Amino acid sequence: MPRDFKMSVPDYMQCAEDHQTLLVVVQPVGIVSEENFFRIYKRICSVSQISVRDSQRVLYIRYRHHYPPENNEWGDFQTHRKVVGLITITDCFSAKDWPQTFEKFHVQKEIYGSTLYDSRLFVFGLQGEIAEQARTDVAFYPNYEDCQMVEKRIEDFIESLFIVLESKRLDRATDKSGDKIPLLCVPFEKKDFVGLDTDSSVLLGLKRHYKKRCQGRMRKHVGDLCLQAGMLQDSLVHYHMSVELLRSVNDFLWLGAALEGLCSASVIYHYPGGTGGKSGARRFQGSALSAEAANRHRPGAQEVLIDPGALTTSGINPDTSTEIGRAKNCLSPEDIIDKYKEAISYYSKYKNAGVIELEACIKAVRVLAIQKRSMEASEFLQNAVYINLRQLSEEEKIQRYSILSELYELIGFHRKSAFFKRVAAMQCVAPSIAEPGWRACYKLLLETLPGYSLSLDPKDFSRGTHRGWAAVQMRLLHELVYASRRMGNPALSVRHLSFLLQTMLDFLSDQEKKDVTQSLENYTSKCPGTMEPIALPGGLTLPPVPFTKLPIVRHVKLLNLPASLRPHKMKSLLGQNMSTKSPFIYSPIIAHNRGEERSKKIDFQWVQGDVCEVQLMVYNPMPFELRVENMGLLTSGVEFESLPAALSLPAESGLYPVTLVGVPQTTGTITVNGYHTTVFGVFSDCLLDDLPGIKTSGSTVEVIPALPRLQISTSLPRSAHSLQPSSGDEISTNVSVQLYNGESQQLIIKLENIGMEPLEKLEVTSKVLTTKDGISVSGFPLSSPFRQVVRPRVEGKPVNPPESSKAGDCSHVKTLEAVLNFKYSGGPGHTEGYYRNLSLGLHVEVEPSVFFTRVSTLPASSTRQCHLLLDVFNSTEHELTVSTRNSEVLILHAGECQRMAIQVDKFNFESFPESPGEKGQFANPKQLEEERREARGLEIHSKLGIRWRIPSLKRSGEASVEGLLNQLVLEHLQLAPLQWDVLVDGQPCDREVAAACQVGNPVRLEVRLTNRSPRSVGPFALTVVPFQDHQNGVHNYDLHDTVSFVGSSTFYLDAVQPSSQSACLGALLFLYTGDFFLHIRFHEDSTSKELPPSWFCLPSVHVRAVEVQA
Amino acid sequence: MAVCVAVIAKENYPLYIRSTPTENELKFHYMVHTSLDVVDEKISAMGKALVDQRELYLGLLYPTEDYKVYGYVTNSKVKFVMVVDSSNTALRDNEIRSMFRKLHNSYTDVMCNPFYNPGDRIQSRFVCLGRAFDNMVTSMMIPVC
């Protein structure tokens, strides 16, 4: 049987206190299910320490279910490596199998046979005759459940081990120096000593040397046994002696072992809590001690123990002398490390003792970890890293790196620990492994996260700048992605890759960004990324990774509804609403609270059932076009139907506005919490609270009940022209029209309720905006809400005399603006007191048509009439015609000016209020005068009825003279308040028609005065002067022979009171035929100087005297 | 001379890292990253010493098979880590010390630059900012023949 003298399997879990344990191997024989085996193994392991009867010594047991026999070969070197007990577990169901089973037990015993003190066989399942026989080495149990006695059996077994151990110890310890001491050897030394005859050795020195070596090794061995048997003090003494002996003979390997033994015993003494981290593994008689145990690593703990007072209270051992002695032999904590160093340096001389050296390093590290001497510990670990054992199997490599990682963790070197853990992880999937352990690799990689200061919660990265070593973090994330993919868990890959993209975006190069997104898209095509946390078997949960940087959102703004859809609160209800909030008009506390609330709540409302918008300013940080799909709003408080959008952002775009829309389905307060996206196949819910550096002007808004929605359409096309911004109203629709001055335009407005709610109330108002150019609109106060006539005209400024107005003054285009407001409500919104306002803006461009450059009057033949002379100017570029009521048509070419004469009846303006007292509101006489002038103008205008027509454009309109009428013209047009009527033969006459009378017959002449003025006039004296008009400019007044008066030619009229009449009568006798005129003259003295002369304008009378017919 | 020079912020993330065999940069990242364990340990061990008497040079952090890693920490806890080839036995402790001092001076110059935002990476593409520092590091990396 070829022997490998080299111990090759290190026990990385070893610690110093293992030196005091007895090694027991528990193994199954035959076919035992793993579950059953480990159930029993666990129970056996629970019996790990036994207080030996009648003494204070404690026995510690180390159980292994697997132990390489070649390690057992080193049992003489360090007795804790020696398998002293074997427990075999087997299934046996029938008696006929029994002999075979028992035989197997013996074969098993043979493996460790040379070192075994005792062994046991536990048989499960066998019942009957065989099972009833009482044997010490075999125990029978009917099944794995029904075996309460296992622990007791183990205790008995350990006691039997102790008896053997104790006998061996005593045996060796009492060996006298005279006796021949055998030389203990390690396996690889054995061949060196083969054939060496120590007895016949000629050289005395060599013999003494050899003897010392034997003695030293034996001392060391006895020390080991003492330690195992719970006699720490004795072991220390033996180790010290052994060190002295072996040092003198330069037996380095064994000197190292003796030194290590010394260290182990001292460690056990100083650190009763243990160094291996197995909590509760050790129990002491003085239970108070174990509580203190953890603090015992301080330098100086030793001194405390030496203090007799402290010792008696601690109750370890009443005999203080032994305690002091123990302290003397025991190494101080510093010495332990020095001795470990020394021991390791001796071990390192032997290539075959690699495992021993490695384990010693690990043991020292554990001690140093407890002493908190990390630097020195790291040196030991560094040494351990470089100990080259034989070619390790892949599994052993993993184990080695894992344990190195754990040890580094133990001494607080988290980064180094992570480094080795990562190496171990990589080892799990090394190319040389036939079946790579991706699951194990992934698990190990996850464990390295803290070492690289990497958490998998993206929230830890959202605040402030990235902290951590990005290069190594990124590498780890890539490895996690790859491992999870190979594990066959694409959801994990997607999550890790999303995390990588989200948190490491700033560190990725453009090419890496492309590669990462490319592979992410590949993964998500099979398994889309979700917002669900992923729970890992190890208890770790991977929180979802929302892509808050794809795109980056800089600004979120909730938009008000468009002006026409904005709800308004009825004024009367508004006051109520405010008063319900607080009974106080002002309170600082409430104001403060409100202030906070207001900081989020926006002071406009959204309406149930109406589309509302949120504007985001987004930025694409990627060097390529970013497709964002299914982008919508996340809201709370109100049932909300989000209408997602898809967008495509150009590479490294600047801030890009995106509008997200949705419809609130219920009423209340809605809060926009964030938005959701699908980018690269990953669903993200991005909450605004988690977004760093986002600007928002509040995210809470009130949703009011539904209102009807009106749509406006007009007979005229809409225009983009908007009204002056100063108008204050938000105009939703604008209509623009071009008109000639004086032209009329009919505008039909159609309102349509396109909402879901009925229209219950509609209020129409209008407003003319002040215009710069002195334009007025007539007919604007509405006659019907649905038919509106707008008639603009130029209002000439009265200060400008008509003569001075130049063509250029009026030729430029003037504008007029007006607003029509439709206030409406209905449905649930109406009951809540809300209404909507729809405004129609009217924009009229007025082009000049015709205007009058000059106005004058000429008296007509009748005193009741006069001629109005108008100079008409065509300022259009078209030929136009001007007509009046009397259908006189004047044709004007473009830019032509012509005079037209219109005979008009004089006006009686007296029906208008005259005295300021009658109309109190016109406090300003000037204003009153203006008003009167306007009224007169209107009347004149309507009487004249001047219209223009442009035949080529088929357009027509009115022309107004209103503004042009000056005082003089007005006076001429005004009917005098004193109305003089002359009646010839009872017939009123005027110049136009001659009154006929017969020659020789007297003709009655009556002059009648009607006083329409507010004052009394007269008395007047009138003289009638007849004359003949020769039609050649000669008037013949010498008619004494032809006309004679019957009575006086002078008439007298008494004073006439206001609105009364007076008349005077006379008669004339025409002696010849002919046409005569009568001129009626006032006497100089009778005319009142204060009255205007126009008041005394009497018609001249035309009489035709004819022969009396036979 | 040095094969890798790193400046590490107080919060233990790299402000600057450069290595000569650029093809295996990540290896040096790991090396410098793990050396921070030792730096932390040494700083915490020094914690009791008076600030002004503190030695900034941390000495050899740890040796690896091929390299030696040295450390230096400023009073503001900014760390300098330098990796040198183990085969370069000619390099004495004093030389390492003076190299660190030069590095520290250059770093101070960077900090004094009003356009440098403390905590930002030192990048050589900003001419007046990182270029001088970069050149100095280059001079330390050129092997002396």
Side-chain angles (χ1 to χ4, degrees):
Chain A
M1 184 174 160
R3 275 246 174 94
D4 184 5
F5 297 115
K6 194 168 147 189
M7 184 164 66
S8 57
V9 185
D11 179 2
Y12 291 101
M13 298 312 289
Q14 274 219 359
C15 48
E17 56 268 26
D18 283 346
H19 284 251
Q20 68 178 340
T21 59
L22 290 169
L23 181 61
V24 174
V25 170
V26 184
Q27 279 180 331
V29 159
I31 305 145
V32 177
S33 81
E34 204 167 275
E35 188 200 342
N36 285 336
F37 171 73
F38 279 101
R39 189 197 287 179
I40 300 301
Y41 181 70
K42 237 179 182 173
R43 291 181 61 175
I44 293 169
C45 287
S46 69
V47 191
S48 63
Q49 56 194 45
I50 292 284
S51 294
V52 181
R53 269 176 303 189
D54 311 327
S55 78
Q56 288 178 327
R57 284 147 67 179
V58 180
L59 221 56
Y60 296 93
I61 318 295
R62 198 158 109 255
Y63 295 100
R64 290 282 179 277
H65 54 85
H66 176 78
Y67 194 73
E70 68 260 34
N71 284 16
N72 198 22
E73 303 279 324
W74 288 69
D76 284 340
F77 183 66
Q78 284 173 325
T79 53
H80 72 281
R81 297 183 188 279
K82 187 182 281 186
V83 181
V84 295
L86 175 72
I87 299 169
T88 317
I89 293 165
T90 187
D91 276 341
C92 184
F93 298 104
S94 70
K96 84 172 166 10
D97 292 340
W98 169 243
Q100 200 188 343
T101 306
F102 196 63
E103 182 55 34
K104 278 183 190 164
F105 170 54
H106 280 290
V107 172
Q108 196 77 16
K109 271 205 295 193
E110 285 303 303
I111 300 171
Y112 306 104
S114 58
T115 57
L116 285 182
Y117 293 175
D118 201 356
S119 58
R120 287 289 182 274
L121 173 64
F122 286 2
V123 184
F124 288 88
L126 196 67
Q127 277 166 318
E129 199 186 319
I130 299 163
E132 273 153 27
Q133 57 179 311
R135 292 184 64 140
T136 48
D137 59 341
V138 182
F140 295 95
Y141 299 99
N143 54 53
Y144 288 97
E145 282 77 34
D146 190 15
C147 50
Q148 292 82 1
M149 292 301 286
V150 167
E151 286 86 353
K152 184 73 190 73
R153 277 271 183 177
I154 298 295
E155 280 175 27
D156 293 346
F157 173 61
I158 292 165
E159 268 176 35
S160 90
L161 292 180
F162 175 71
I163 291 159
V164 180
L165 172 71
E166 190 68 359
S167 70
K168 283 197 181 250
R169 182 184 71 80
L170 289 169
D171 211 26
R172 302 269 199 250
T174 50
D175 276 351
K176 293 293 161 271
S177 54
D179 299 345
K180 190 172 183 300
I181 300 165
L183 180 70
L184 296 168
C185 290
V186 294
F188 70 84
E189 285 176 326
K190 277 175 184 156
K191 63 176 193 290
D192 302 341
F193 293 109
V194 166
L196 184 70
D197 185 3
T198 50
D199 290 332
S200 61
S201 188
V202 264
L203 287 163
L204 187 68
L206 188 66
K207 194 173 180 183
R208 199 187 293 150
H209 193 270
Y210 180 77
K211 198 177 174 187
K212 268 193 171 178
R213 188 187 285 242
C214 293
Q215 281 177 336
R217 289 186 180 192
M218 187 52 75
R219 276 283 171 201
K220 194 258 159 208
H221 184 68
V222 173
D224 282 355
L225 291 176
C226 287
L227 194 59
Q228 282 185 308
M231 299 171 75
L232 189 93
Q233 159 65 24
D234 293 60
S235 74
L236 282 167
V237 173
H238 288 297
Y239 285 138
H240 273 296
M241 287 166 71
S242 166
V243 167
E244 276 168 37
L245 284 166
L246 294 169
R247 208 188 283 282
S248 63
V249 294
N250 289 340
D251 188 359
F252 291 121
L253 185 64
W254 285 78
L255 174 57
L259 286 166
E260 200 194 339
L262 201 52
C263 290
S264 302
S266 302
V267 168
I268 290 161
Y269 173 70
H270 282 295
Y271 310 110
T275 60
K278 297 171 206 148
S279 59
R282 289 150 60 94
R283 189 157 24 93
F284 267 76
Q285 300 99 315
S287 61
L289 196 74
S290 59
E292 284 173 45
N295 300 326
R296 281 288 153 77
H297 51 78
R298 289 176 285 113
Q302 194 183 340
E303 282 76 10
V304 176
L305 279 175
I306 294 164
D307 174 38
L311 286 167
T312 45
T313 49
S314 70
I316 303 166
N317 196 328
D319 184 7
T320 53
S321 61
T322 58
E323 285 292 331
I324 291 163
R326 187 184 284 186
K328 263 182 194 161
N329 286 326
C330 185
L331 298 173
S332 72
E334 286 81 11
D335 283 346
I336 292 171
I337 303 307
D338 288 345
K339 291 291 180 281
Y340 261 126
K341 264 183 200 161
E342 196 185 342
I344 288 163
S345 75
Y346 294 145
Y347 289 151
S348 67
K349 290 176 194 289
Y350 299 90
K351 232 182 134 189
N352 290 329
V355 171
I356 304 289
E357 185 190 354
L358 181 65
E359 288 181 1
C361 282
I362 289 169
K363 284 177 239 183
V365 167
R366 291 191 201 278
V367 174
L368 282 163
I370 286 200
Q371 293 181 346
K372 302 240 184 294
R373 289 157 75 181
S374 304
M375 278 311 297
E376 286 164 281
S378 77
E379 282 163 25
F380 275 99
L381 264 178
Q382 190 78 33
N383 185 46
V385 169
Y386 292 127
I387 296 169
N388 261 322
L389 300 177
R390 66 189 159 91
Q391 195 66 34
L392 291 174
S393 73
E394 301 298 343
E395 202 178 320
E396 282 169 325
K397 279 183 192 164
I398 296 165
Q399 197 194 5
R400 182 183 163 97
Y401 292 129
S402 297
I403 202 74
L404 281 171
S405 164
E406 260 169 53
L407 290 169
Y408 271 116
E409 188 66 45
L410 198 65
I411 63 170
F413 280 25
H414 305 295
R415 297 177 188 88
K416 200 87 180 170
S417 164
F419 178 83
F420 278 107
K421 192 144 270 179
R422 187 183 151 269
V423 173
M426 292 299 110
Q427 202 61 55
C428 292
V429 293
S432 53
I433 294 180
E435 278 179 43
W438 288 105
R439 225 161 263 283
C441 168
Y442 181 79
K443 188 178 161 289
L444 288 170
L445 283 176
L446 278 185
E447 287 169 15
T448 68
L449 288 169
Y452 292 111
S453 322
L454 192 62
S455 105
L456 290 179
D457 191 349
K459 284 200 178 96
D460 298 341
F461 287 85
S462 61
R463 311 261 171 226
T465 51
H466 180 93
R467 300 283 172 204
W469 204 290
V472 292
Q473 289 176 341
M474 251 157 66
R475 178 60 179 243
L476 174 59
L477 285 171
H478 273 297
E479 283 162 357
L480 280 172
V481 169
Y482 192 71
S484 54
R485 187 174 78 88
R486 295 300 298 266
M487 261 163 66
N489 193 338
L492 268 184
S493 313
V494 168
R495 181 59 49 89
H496 287 308
L497 207 50
S498 306
F499 184 86
L500 172 69
L501 198 56
Q502 166 74 16
T503 59
M504 301 290 164
L505 195 63
D506 298 345
F507 303 98
L508 292 170
S509 70
D510 282 0
Q511 189 54 46
E512 284 171 322
K513 281 178 188 172
K514 271 179 201 158
D515 295 345
V516 168
T517 52
Q518 182 66 52
S519 46
L520 182 58
E521 278 177 322
N522 284 344
Y523 291 145
T524 53
S525 64
K526 289 160 213 140
C527 176
T530 65
M531 280 300 288
E532 298 300 317
I534 298 176
L536 294 174
L540 194 74
T541 306
L542 295 183
V545 183
F547 278 151
T548 58
K549 285 181 176 173
L550 296 170
I552 295 168
V553 173
R554 281 266 177 271
H555 198 110
V556 174
K557 189 185 177 193
L558 276 67
L559 298 182
N560 201 346
L561 291 170
S564 62
L565 295 177
R566 239 168 254 177
H568 303 274
K569 191 89 176 159
M570 302 280 182
K571 282 232 163 59
S572 56
L573 292 164
L574 197 72
Q576 273 181 13
N577 194 28
M578 287 206 10
S579 63
T580 53
K581 277 204 168 171
S582 160
F584 304 106
I585 295 169
Y586 172 77
S587 156
I589 303 152
I590 290 165
H592 178 71
N593 288 343
R594 267 195 208 149
E596 279 185 346
E597 196 182 302
R598 200 181 299 139
S599 70
K600 285 197 88 182
K601 192 155 180 170
I602 310 170
D603 62 350
F604 57 73
Q605 289 99 22
W606 281 348
V607 180
Q608 176 192 358
D610 278 5
V611 173
C612 42
E613 300 176 323
V614 175
Q615 194 183 58
L616 310 176
M617 296 305 282
V618 301
Y619 171 84
N620 171 16
M622 293 306 227
F624 47 84
E625 191 182 358
L626 183 67
R627 289 273 312 147
V628 184
E629 275 150 22
N630 190 34
M631 190 171 191
L633 293 170
L634 295 173
T635 59
S636 64
V638 163
E639 203 181 301
F640 188 81
E641 185 197 348
S642 177
L643 307 170
L647 47 134
S648 177
L649 297 169
E652 270 155 21
S653 65
L655 277 184
Y656 205 85
V658 172
T659 305
L660 298 180
V661 297
V663 180
Q665 304 289 339
T666 56
T667 63
T669 303
I670 190 169
T671 306
V672 175
N673 300 318
Y675 58 93
H676 60 82
T677 57
T678 308
V679 179
F680 308 133
V682 177
F683 297 101
S684 306
D685 287 349
C686 307
L687 299 181
L688 299 185
D689 291 344
D690 298 339
L691 299 179
I694 195 167
K695 281 182 207 152
T696 169
S697 48
S699 54
T700 303
V701 109
E702 204 191 332
V703 177
I704 63 142
L707 282 167
R709 202 157 76 217
L710 283 189
Q711 196 181 49
I712 195 165
S713 56
T714 58
S715 57
L716 289 171
R718 288 186 180 206
S719 80
H721 193 287
S722 58
L723 294 191
Q724 301 156 350
S726 61
S727 63
D729 295 274
E730 301 262 13
I731 309 295
S732 44
T733 313
N734 278 295
V735 162
S736 185
V737 64
Q738 178 267 326
L739 291 175
Y740 283 106
N741 193 5
E743 197 179 353
S744 296
Q745 174 70 50
Q746 198 182 49
L747 175 66
I748 297 168
I749 298 164
K750 195 170 123 197
L751 293 175
E752 195 183 345
N753 185 1
I754 54 166
M756 304 300 287
E757 301 302 326
L759 182 80
E760 292 168 28
K761 192 180 161 190
L762 178 70
E763 215 178 288
V764 186
T765 54
S766 69
K767 185 161 103 183
V768 178
L769 304 177
T770 46
T771 53
K772 306 167 287 242
D773 298 322
I775 296 178
S776 72
V777 177
S778 60
F780 209 77
L782 298 169
S783 46
S784 145
F786 299 104
R787 283 190 74 222
Q788 180 60 48
V789 179
V790 182
R791 192 153 47 107
R793 48 195 179 140
V794 172
E795 186 181 275
K797 292 188 179 75
V799 280
N800 293 348
E803 291 81 12
S804 70
S805 53
K806 290 169 282 176
D809 203 4
C810 293
S811 63
H812 65 88
V813 175
K814 292 169 185 186
T815 54
L816 166 86
E817 287 174 346
V819 178
L820 272 173
N821 277 315
F822 304 91
K823 212 162 123 178
Y824 64 95
S825 187
H830 183 231
T831 36
E832 289 285 310
Y834 286 99
Y835 66 91
R836 272 180 166 152
N837 204 1
L838 187 64
S839 297
L840 176 68
L842 290 174
H843 176 89
V844 184
E845 287 192 350
V846 184
E847 282 187 48
S849 52
V850 292
F851 59 91
F852 305 102
T853 55
R854 188 189 157 100
V855 179
S856 57
T857 50
L858 274 180
S861 50
S862 161
T863 56
R864 298 291 178 85
Q865 290 184 319
C866 77
H867 291 285
L868 193 64
L869 301 179
L870 299 165
D871 289 359
V872 196
F873 177 73
N874 175 9
S875 60
T876 68
E877 290 166 353
H878 308 277
E879 188 183 86
L880 59 72
T881 62
V882 179
S883 63
T884 66
R885 207 169 285 283
N886 307 351
S887 77
E888 278 177 52
V889 175
L890 188 72
I891 297 168
L892 282 171
H893 297 288
E896 194 184 2
C897 186
Q898 279 193 37
R899 174 165 296 186
M900 66 188 289
I902 309 163
Q903 187 176 320
V904 285
D905 292 332
K906 286 197 177 176
F907 296 90
N908 179 11
F909 296 132
E910 292 312 309
S911 53
F912 300 112
E914 189 105 24
S915 81
E918 278 179 65
K919 273 204 164 180
Q921 68 263 45
F922 292 107
N924 189 348
K926 204 174 167 189
Q927 219 176 338
L928 174 73
E929 185 57 36
E930 194 79 13
E931 188 77 4
R932 267 166 52 191
R933 185 195 301 276
E934 222 168 86
R936 284 172 198 174
L938 258 171
E939 196 184 337
I940 295 165
H941 172 80
S942 62
K943 197 144 197 181
L944 292 176
I946 308 173
R947 295 191 62 79
W948 53 262
R949 223 177 95 74
I950 303 172
S952 59
L953 297 176
K954 295 205 170 82
R955 291 170 73 163
S956 64
E958 299 174 359
S960 169
V961 293
E962 281 166 59
L964 296 164
L965 300 170
N966 56 18
Q967 192 60 38
L968 195 70
V969 173
L970 276 175
E971 270 175 24
H972 284 148
L973 285 173
Q974 188 171 5
L975 210 53
L978 299 183
Q979 188 188 325
W980 302 92
D981 294 296
V982 180
L983 292 91
V984 177
D985 231 2
Q987 297 297 311
C989 58
D990 213 331
R991 200 178 218 178
E992 299 298 307
V993 189
C997 64
Q998 288 174 325
V999 173
N1001 283 348
V1003 178
R1004 205 148 39 90
L1005 180 72
E1006 188 185 350
V1007 175
R1008 196 184 286 168
L1009 168 65
T1010 311
N1011 185 7
R1012 287 209 174 92
S1013 76
R1015 62 173 88 176
S1016 70
V1017 290
F1020 303 107
L1022 304 147
T1023 306
V1024 178
V1025 183
F1027 67 95
Q1028 274 190 303
D1029 189 355
H1030 291 189
Q1031 302 283 339
N1032 54 358
V1034 179
H1035 288 188
N1036 179 19
Y1037 288 91
D1038 188 20
L1039 298 172
H1040 297 290
D1041 304 333
T1042 11
V1043 182
S1044 82
F1045 285 88
V1046 182
S1048 170
S1049 66
T1050 306
F1051 293 71
Y1052 292 98
L1053 272 170
D1054 285 335
V1056 186
Q1057 291 306 311
S1059 62
S1060 62
Q1061 238 181 12
S1062 173
C1064 54
L1065 287 163
L1068 278 167
L1069 183 70
F1070 293 93
L1071 303 174
Y1072 299 95
T1073 59
D1075 275 19
F1076 300 94
F1077 294 92
L1078 299 178
H1079 182 71
I1080 301 167
R1081 238 177 28 207
F1082 287 89
H1083 286 248
E1084 283 290 313
D1085 56 327
S1086 70
T1087 52
S1088 311
K1089 287 287 181 282
E1090 66 266 29
L1091 296 174
S1094 64
W1095 288 25
F1096 302 101
C1097 176
L1098 268 73
S1100 40
V1101 182
H1102 183 192
V1103 182
R1104 180 169 296 154
V1106 291
E1107 288 290 342
V1108 181
Q1109 306 283 312
Chain B
M1 291 306 255
V3 290
C4 176
V5 172
V7 181
I8 295 131
K10 182 171 175 278
E11 296 85 1
N12 288 336
Y13 64 92
L15 293 174
Y16 179 92
I17 183 157
R18 210 170 127 213
S19 48
T20 34
T22 42
E23 69 277 2
N24 201 358
E25 205 183 348
L26 200 64
K27 180 175 91 178
F28 290 102
H29 272 281
Y30 278 115
M31 204 180 286
V32 178
H33 182 250
T34 48
S35 76
L36 290 177
D37 280 330
V38 185
V39 173
D40 279 357
E41 186 58 37
K42 289 208 172 190
I43 290 172
S44 70
M46 289 198 312
K48 296 137 209 160
L50 281 169
V51 176
D52 47 342
Q53 290 169 356
R54 191 183 281 164
E55 169 70 271
L56 302 178
Y57 178 55
L58 298 176
L60 179 66
L61 299 179
Y62 69 92
T64 73
E65 270 169 306
D66 309 320
Y67 302 103
K68 283 179 181 160
V69 185
Y70 292 90
Y72 184 94
V73 65
T74 71
N75 282 325
S76 57
K77 297 275 188 293
V78 171
K79 292 120 194 161
F80 300 126
V81 173
M82 199 148 45
V83 183
V84 298
D85 211 309
S86 296
S87 59
N88 194 345
T89 45
L91 215 55
R92 286 161 180 269
D93 207 44
N94 263 346
E95 290 168 73
I96 300 281
R97 244 178 234 268
S98 80
M99 278 160 78
F100 271 126
R101 219 164 290 135
K102 264 162 70 186
L103 201 61
H104 195 172
N105 286 340
S106 280
Y107 176 72
T108 312
D109 289 345
V110 171
M111 285 297 285
C112 289
N113 189 316
F115 297 102
Y116 176 72
N117 190 13
D120 280 359
R121 258 137 241 272
I122 302 166
Q123 283 161 313
S124 60
R125 62 190 158 100
F126 301 124
V127 175
C128 53
L129 214 72
R131 185 64 60 81
F133 188 80
D134 210 43
N135 289 341
M136 199 280 309
V137 171
T138 311
S139 75
M140 293 197 333
M141 286 179 147
I142 292 167
V144 206
C145 299

